[in-house]
Amino acid sequence: MSNNPTSNFQDVPWKHRFFSSMIGFAVNFSRRSDGTINRYIMNLFDFKAPPSQQLFDGVKTSDTVVDATRNLYFRLFLPSLNQDDDVPVIVYFHGGGFAYLSASSIPCDDFCRRLCKKTGAVIISVNYRLAPEHKYPSQYDDGFDVLKFIDDKANTKNLPFNVNLKQCFIAGDSAGGNLAHHMAVKACEYGLRNVKLIGLVAIQPFFGGEERTESETRIVDAPIISVKGTDWLWKAFLPEGSDRNHPACNVFGPKSVHDISRLKFPATMVVVGGFDPMHDWQIRYYEGLKKCGKEACLIEYPHAFHTFYGVPELKETCLLMEAVKGFIERLINLNKEGCS
């Protein structure tokens, strides 16, 4: 494997490279020395996409408020499908290191729109509170409150009548992949009534630990994210006095508090990129699931950098979309067979 982590990034069209560079500048410039974020500066670069009731690229969107006091809402993505179709649901958590972006940020909105169109699933993209203003477990509390919200039939009036909550997937990228894992654990322990989680998609999930892995030491100048940056994000997110072996970060580490081997944990797809500094932690996550006796598949793109999926022109992004679609269809068919 090449030691140059920017090799695949050079294949990215100039407009995406420019946008990524601009966001990277904003992220670095907005971080204060006291560990806080200058939101005014960051918001100048975090462009938002409004919801659209008009069909755009085969998808309609709307926002549903869950709790206005903490700006907890979800963006609903509705595919243009035959009214007779039995439509699955994906509860999606955006990335951003727990500290950046929102469900309405253009990169997040664009990815969910493409995922909705490709899979034909209704997507519920969760807007959760951000660190460091709101540390752990705020993001987990917000995410699970949305799951409980849609589990209540009284709150599903905004969903199409043909949505099948028994065909529910949970997914996320980067920090959202971390959230997806922890939401699945909480759902297993809580026992939802109407929502049945049958699959989890973790796209380059944000995990870590105190140990420095080979990929963290080798990939020092990666585009989008660096080890220095992930260290800062973990400190901003985790409770005061915690280290990176906190179970929110190192889920199968020495301080782990959940034994998922006893849980009915959903089948999981783990997506990793060869030029992602967190590559080795993501591999360990996959291996941890297997050791616990859980169904898990690993999808690896050797030349992919962190957040490659935000660039639709990359071949890896096209392959990812096909893989997610196939994963969803396979589990839906298995779920139907199990119910017959």
Side-chain angles (χ1 to χ4, degrees):
M1 184 180 293
S2 167
N3 288 324
N4 178 15
T6 62
S7 58
N8 191 48
F9 192 64
Q10 300 307 310
D11 297 332
V12 175
W14 71 266
K15 63 178 181 179
H16 289 288
R17 274 188 282 158
F18 175 77
F19 184 78
S20 297
S21 298
M22 185 174 62
I23 290 294
F25 170 80
V27 166
N28 292 328
F29 195 63
S30 66
R31 292 175 183 166
R32 298 190 179 103
S33 58
D34 63 357
T36 61
I37 294 174
N38 187 324
R39 292 293 177 192
Y40 175 77
I41 290 177
M42 189 61 211
N43 288 338
L44 292 176
F45 296 87
D46 184 12
F47 302 114
K48 309 294 186 182
S52 174
Q53 288 289 343
Q54 300 298 317
L55 203 62
F56 175 69
D57 200 21
V59 177
K60 293 181 180 180
T61 59
S62 62
D63 292 342
T64 298
V65 175
V66 177
D67 185 350
T69 64
R70 47 185 160 142
N71 196 30
L72 178 60
Y73 70 89
F74 59 82
R75 176 154 292 183
L76 187 68
F77 294 79
L78 301 178
S80 176
L81 289 176
N82 187 296
Q83 291 292 309
D84 296 329
D85 288 336
D86 197 23
V87 184
V89 180
I90 301 173
V91 180
Y92 197 86
F93 296 93
H94 68 81
F98 302 107
Y100 295 99
L101 304 178
S102 70
S104 62
S105 295
I106 285 180
C108 307
D109 181 270
D110 177 68
F111 180 76
C112 284
R113 186 179 298 274
R114 289 187 282 118
L115 187 63
C116 177
K117 182 179 180 180
K118 183 66 178 180
T119 62
V122 166
I123 295 183
I124 294 173
S125 179
V126 180
N127 190 74
Y128 52 84
R129 288 172 291 177
L130 300 176
E133 296 90 341
H134 304 282
K135 287 180 172 287
Y136 168 92
S138 298
Q139 294 76 6
Y140 296 173
D141 292 342
D142 289 351
F144 198 62
D145 282 348
V146 169
L147 277 180
K148 290 188 291 184
F149 182 87
I150 64 173
D151 191 51
D152 186 342
K153 287 186 175 180
N155 296 323
T156 59
K157 59 183 181 295
N158 291 330
L159 299 179
F161 75 93
N162 52 352
V163 162
N164 189 347
L165 293 176
K166 300 300 183 184
Q167 296 177 358
C168 186
F169 294 79
I170 194 161
D173 67 281
S174 194
N178 176 299
L179 271 162
H181 167 81
H182 288 284
M183 292 306 97
V185 172
K186 290 173 76 71
C188 290
E189 294 178 334
Y190 179 82
L192 299 170
R193 293 169 297 173
N194 299 304
V195 172
K196 180 182 178 182
L197 296 181
I198 64 173
L200 189 159
V201 179
I203 304 172
Q204 295 184 294
F206 187 30
F207 295 120
E210 283 297 299
E211 176 192 348
R212 285 294 185 226
T213 65
E214 190 275 337
S215 63
E216 287 176 311
T217 56
R218 173 174 52 84
I219 307 174
V220 293
D221 295 315
I224 311 299
I225 195 67
S226 65
V227 173
K228 181 179 179 181
T230 58
D231 285 353
W232 192 96
L233 290 167
W234 285 123
K235 187 174 182 180
F237 168 66
L238 294 172
E240 293 292 341
S242 300
D243 63 22
R244 293 189 303 276
N245 280 334
H246 187 282
C249 176
N250 193 351
V251 294
F252 295 118
K255 298 180 182 179
S256 177
V257 294
H258 295 288
D259 177 15
I260 71 167
S261 62
R262 61 181 177 81
L263 300 177
K264 194 174 181 180
F265 198 80
T268 303
M269 170 189 285
V270 183
V271 180
V272 305
F275 288 111
D276 184 347
M278 292 177 285
H279 171 276
D280 291 356
W281 286 112
Q282 294 156 4
I283 295 292
R284 290 188 187 187
Y285 172 63
Y286 162 75
E287 292 172 344
L289 293 174
K290 299 292 281 187
K291 287 178 181 177
C292 289
K294 302 307 170 186
E295 180 183 345
C297 63
L298 180 68
I299 307 293
E300 185 165 12
Y301 302 112
H303 302 289
F305 57 90
H306 195 71
T307 72
F308 73 92
Y309 44 84
V311 185
E313 293 87 349
L314 289 176
K315 66 176 182 180
E316 289 88 350
T317 302
C318 298
L319 292 171
L320 170 64
M321 288 295 187
E322 289 292 344
V324 173
K325 180 182 179 182
F327 178 74
I328 289 174
E329 291 176 346
R330 180 178 68 83
L331 290 179
I332 288 175
N333 289 333
L334 286 174
N335 188 57
K336 289 178 178 178
E337 291 173 6
C339 295
S340 61

